[in-house]
Amino acid sequence: MNNKETTYSEDLFQYIKVSEDEDDSNAVEIPCELNGTLLLSTLVAQFPGACGLKYRHPESKCIRGLRLSDGRLHPPTEAGWGKHLYICVFPKENKRKMEDVSPENSAAKTKRLEKKLICSDLICLGLPWKSTEESIKKYFDQFGEVVMVQLKKDKNGSFKGFGFIRFATYTSQMRALAQRHNIDGRWVDVRIPNSKEGVVPQMPCKVFVGRCTEDMTADDLREYFSKFGEVTDVFVPRPFRAFGFVTFLDPEVAQSLCGEDHVIKGASVSVSSAAPKIKNKNNQNWKEESYGPNSWDGNRSGPPGGPSNNGGNSNIDSLNMQNLGINPNGGGPPANFNLPISLVAAALNQAGWGGFLGGPNNSGPGNWGQNGPPQGGNSGKNLNNNGSWNQNGPPPYWNQGNNPNWNGNKNGNWNQGNWSNGQGWGGNSSGPTSSNSGWNKPQT
DNA sequence: GTTGAGCGTT
């Protein structure tokens, strides 16, 4: 593909030795990419909080830093990585040992970590009654090492249906937060606990990709951007809108790409923050230019035929805060949102909330109620206190009227109509797909 | 014994 790949061809899948200091007894061998670079996300997966690499040059005896670009660390020379022991670089305020990530920190260390919290406990809501700490640990081990599971019980010792987990690494946590969870047939919400609001940094993982051409599919974007880091979601609106969204597992990868131009399928696309533009706080009309870096409107951001105006004030500042990494209310829509929730959901899902807002997005809803896809017909209680969907799902009008694309039936199930048939949300990887089946599955 | 929105005896 390029010269570097040729140059480093002997080093395909090469592992390099990385340690936190010059003592290599704790070194970890981590894999490089095909083109000879090392993804920062790969490094961070093993060394949470790491921001770079350095090594001691054998001749000069000096410490040399490695070049970091586009979320990738580059080998020190054209000859490749050599046999050096590479040493992690941590942000100055965050210099610490791996053990510090564990919850058993001293108070002083914990305080120092507050500036850049690596992991948080995560709350798991809606766990099956039959869950045990062992079974929950076993389930979440697929996302990375689970260092804590606490299932909450009442005074009688009976399980209350929720609990807390903690991963060893931020990457594992991100991975778990980035998708839905079906445990023993139940949809389980995994979220940052309310108690961690505003404490745990919620960096935006989603970028806006502008100047897309019509022949660029979600798969094209995924394939291209995967070389920078693990892609957890891609959204390409159809009909053609000349933009898309790509969500990375690692927010640092997302940030590193912002402001860059990239060539995909012979066309230059621009990558920028997915944070929505603020136009007019009052009377948001969700039309052209009112949202998104390059203009996109609320009408088309949801399935065609969805509600088209809001009829109320909105709290877009909160929305943007979320996109900018501020998490005022635990990841759900602002509690005082006055927009029709359908629009909010449609817009937010594309505005960078993919991993945290429930909705047709394979980042997965942390916030759908226990019944998974919304059930129709309710008395207006559509949001719980966190602004998440409750069991009743969105308002009845999602399922009524002349909006066949929102739902082909009125019984409130999302498993029919066009959610998965190529219209509206369907037809791209952001809608309910086989990889996130369960949109169709009622929960008891 | 049943149940299904929530936020943790640290």
Side-chain angles (χ1 to χ4, degrees):
Chain A
M1 178 172 291
N2 57 36
N3 291 335
K4 285 188 176 175
E5 191 156 307
T6 304
T7 303
Y8 303 137
S9 60
E10 291 180 2
D11 296 328
L12 288 183
F13 300 112
Q14 179 186 3
Y15 281 73
I16 65 170
K17 195 187 286 186
V18 178
S19 179
E20 292 218 336
D21 48 42
E22 293 192 72
D23 170 16
D24 67 355
S25 59
N26 293 321
V28 178
E29 291 189 338
I30 57 179
C32 299
E33 298 304 298
L34 288 173
N35 65 2
T37 63
L38 172 66
L39 287 173
L40 183 59
S41 54
T42 303
L43 177 67
V44 171
Q46 300 302 323
F47 298 92
C51 61
L53 277 183
K54 59 189 179 184
Y55 71 105
R56 187 171 294 281
H57 192 267
E59 293 174 10
S60 73
K61 307 296 183 194
C62 284
I63 292 289
R64 287 194 177 183
L66 294 189
R67 195 166 79 86
L68 173 64
S69 170
D70 294 345
R72 292 171 293 181
L73 286 153
H74 294 258
T77 69
E78 284 294 309
W81 292 91
K83 298 296 178 189
H84 305 293
L85 171 67
Y86 292 92
I87 305 164
C88 277
V89 180
F90 293 101
K92 235 178 182 178
E93 297 292 325
N94 194 33
K95 194 167 176 61
R96 82 278 183 274
K97 293 281 190 179
M98 285 289 287
E99 302 85 83
D100 294 350
V101 177
S102 72
E104 295 79 27
N105 290 331
S106 70
K109 287 178 179 175
T110 303
K111 188 169 184 179
R112 195 171 52 200
L113 274 176
E114 280 176 2
K115 284 196 174 177
K116 182 166 182 168
L117 280 171
I118 305 304
C119 286
S120 161
D121 290 359
L122 303 178
I123 188 167
C124 303
L125 296 165
L127 294 168
W129 299 120
K130 61 181 177 184
S131 296
T132 64
E133 299 192 342
E134 292 72 30
S135 71
I136 296 306
K137 178 178 185 337
K138 188 176 179 185
Y139 170 81
F140 284 105
D141 265 338
Q142 67 183 289
F143 303 98
E145 184 190 356
V146 176
V147 297
M148 184 275 294
V149 176
Q150 282 182 355
L151 298 189
K152 292 303 171 187
K153 299 171 182 172
D154 63 20
K155 294 180 180 71
N156 302 322
S158 54
F159 179 40
K160 294 166 77 175
F162 75 98
F164 294 85
I165 62 172
R166 191 185 183 95
F167 287 101
T169 69
Y170 186 69
T171 303
S172 306
Q173 170 172 319
M174 291 297 293
R175 192 173 284 126
L177 283 170
Q179 65 179 263
R180 314 175 68 214
H181 301 278
N182 191 303
I183 305 177
D184 287 331
R186 283 190 60 83
W187 289 108
V188 174
D189 290 343
V190 178
R191 312 179 195 165
I192 302 285
N194 290 343
S195 56
K196 296 294 197 295
E197 283 176 17
V199 179
V200 179
Q202 295 290 297
M203 293 292 289
C205 299
K206 182 173 286 191
V207 297
F208 177 90
V209 182
R211 296 199 307 265
C212 291
T213 53
E214 196 156 9
D215 64 334
M216 288 180 196
T217 65
D219 283 342
D220 291 331
L221 295 187
R222 180 182 290 273
E223 182 184 352
Y224 177 81
F225 284 106
S226 288
K227 66 185 179 188
F228 302 107
E230 186 172 335
V231 171
T232 59
D233 185 48
V234 179
F235 179 79
V236 175
R238 289 289 183 255
F240 175 58
R241 295 280 289 156
F243 68 85
F245 288 98
V246 175
T247 306
F248 293 93
L249 179 64
D250 184 348
E252 295 201 30
V253 173
Q255 296 318 294
S256 72
L257 293 171
C258 286
E260 294 182 354
D261 289 339
H262 290 262
V263 176
I264 304 174
K265 283 188 155 181
S268 168
V269 301
S270 73
V271 181
S272 57
S273 164
K277 269 195 201 169
I278 304 302
K279 188 183 182 185
N280 185 354
K281 269 178 79 171
N282 297 320
N283 294 323
Q284 276 281 336
N285 213 16
W286 298 86
K287 288 195 174 174
E288 300 292 336
E289 307 296 343
S290 68
Y291 215 78
N294 273 1
S295 96
W296 50 288
D297 61 56
N299 296 337
R300 294 206 191 196
S301 48
S308 58
N309 59 36
N310 63 33
N313 293 333
S314 59
N315 191 352
I316 305 303
D317 280 345
S318 299
L319 195 159
N320 201 35
M321 281 168 59
Q322 283 276 357
N323 278 291
L324 296 175
I326 300 165
N327 192 13
N329 65 353
N336 58 343
F337 243 103
N338 292 323
L339 282 170
I341 199 61
S342 50
L343 260 187
V344 175
L348 297 193
N349 267 301
Q350 299 191 45
W353 288 49
F356 302 97
L357 173 75
N361 180 316
N362 77 2
S363 309
N367 297 327
W368 289 116
Q370 296 306 320
N371 288 328
Q375 306 298 304
N378 60 71
S379 54
K381 281 180 61 183
N382 298 308
L383 297 179
N384 63 23
N385 291 337
N386 295 323
S388 306
W389 295 113
N390 66 11
Q391 298 297 349
N392 293 324
Y397 55 72
W398 281 49
N399 306 323
Q400 297 169 358
N402 300 316
N403 293 324
N405 291 320
W406 284 91
N407 197 320
N409 57 37
K410 293 191 179 184
N411 64 12
N413 293 326
W414 292 58
N415 55 351
Q416 295 174 15
N418 292 331
W419 284 97
S420 55
N421 73 351
Q423 299 292 318
W425 294 100
N428 59 64
S429 69
S430 294
T433 65
S434 57
S435 66
N436 58 357
S437 61
W439 289 92
N440 307 332
K441 205 169 184 179
Q443 181 162 288
T444 55

